[in-house]
Every structure is written in C-alpha cells, then in structure tokens.
C-alpha cells in the first residue's frame, strides 16, 4: 500500500511498479526507515478503526515503544541521512 507515501512518492511508486526492471522490488527496498517512522504518526488514526480494549492498547503501546527504542539505538543501520 501507499498509505505512508507523499503525493510525489506515490507517482514514483506507480512508475517503479510499472517498470519490469523494478516491479518486483519490495517497498522496503525502495523506501527507508524514514517511511517506517511515518507509520508511527499514522498509527493513532489507524487504531481509531480497530476495536481494542485497554489491555490490548497498552500492549501495542509497549511494543511500539520497544520498537522505537530499537530503531533509535540502531539508527545508523536504518537511516542513511540522505532523505530529503
């Protein structure tokens, strides 16, 4: 899906997946860690459409915090610094 892509990136996505040379690439091979971080911004909106009880929501929050700590600890591996 393209939920995490900006308009210009969606156009890029469409052209890449129409091209036989690049159509089999995984989105993670094209878009880096910065796009993953966008997911964390979108999560509250996405969770509005899912029925979660308080314990499930707390579980997700704790797992997300662990994942964000992992990403911060390993930022050099997942972020190349060239995102603009």
């Amino acid at each position: 899906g393209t939920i995490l892509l900006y308009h210009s990136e969606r156009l890029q996505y469409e052209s890449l997946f129409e091209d036989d040379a690049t159509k089999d690439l995984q989105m993670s091979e094209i878009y880096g860690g910065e796009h993953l971080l966008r997911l964390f911004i979108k999560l509250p909106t996405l969770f509005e459409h899912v029925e979660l009880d308080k314990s499930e929501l707390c579980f997700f929050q704790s797992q997300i915090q662990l994942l964000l700590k992992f990403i911060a600890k390993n930022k050099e591996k997942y972020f190349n610094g060239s995102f603009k």
Side-chain angles (χ1 to χ4, degrees):
T2 59
I3 191 171
L4 302 179
L5 301 180
Y6 296 142
H7 178 71
S8 62
E9 293 167 335
R10 288 180 185 173
L11 298 174
Q12 175 193 43
Y13 172 86
E14 290 171 11
S15 68
L16 286 170
F17 288 95
E18 289 173 357
D19 185 341
D20 287 336
T22 56
K23 72 178 181 182
D24 293 326
L25 291 175
Q26 296 291 318
M27 288 189 76
S28 61
E29 295 176 274
I30 301 167
Y31 303 105
E34 295 83 1
H35 289 80
L36 176 61
L37 291 178
R38 290 182 195 171
L39 174 63
F40 298 107
I41 301 301
K42 294 274 188 182
L43 279 178
T45 304
L46 296 174
F47 279 148
E48 288 176 2
H49 302 285
V50 179
E51 290 186 31
L52 297 173
D53 64 34
K54 188 172 182 171
S55 66
E56 292 170 320
L57 187 57
C58 288
F59 173 77
F60 276 113
Q61 288 174 332
S62 68
Q63 296 304 300
I64 291 167
Q65 287 175 348
L66 289 174
L67 181 55
L68 287 171
K69 286 179 184 179
F70 173 83
I71 291 170
K73 183 178 179 182
N74 296 282
K75 63 184 175 224
E76 291 81 16
K77 183 176 180 179
Y78 299 105
F79 301 94
N80 63 19
S82 66
F83 185 80
K84 294 183 173 74

